[in-house]
Amino acid sequence: MENSVDFATRKKEKLKEPEDYRVVLLNDDYTTMDFVVNVLMIVFHKNVKDAECIMLDVHEKGRGVVGLYPFDIAQTKAAQVHDLAEKNGFPLKCIVEEV
Ligand code: TYC
């Protein structure tokens, strides 16, 4: 019907969080390439090919977008990166930016 409202769909649309924060990985001179690739696979669920590609891009350009997420998820992933880096003695950093 023309004027009917599908509440199930509307509710779903309303509840969907906007993915408007980007997680950006920063380059440094000390973190190993292998470690960065592993972090990208573990925290961001990248496959090895994509992880290597992102890592090399960050290595060459100084920074690179890893993904777009809702605020809480972006913050959690950044915290996981810092936690893994600290536990392994690397200074790897990533930041969360509003898109
Ligand atoms: N530049 C590092 C090296 O040469 C590798 C690296 C890549 C570090 C990406 C951090 O986000 C990074 N070992």
Side-chain angles (χ1 to χ4, degrees), residues 25-28 31-33 36 55 58-59 92:
L25 200 59
L26 305 179
N27 188 36
D28 67 73
T31 308
T32 62
M33 293 184 170
V36 177
M55 181 280 295
V58 174
H59 175 71
L92 182 63

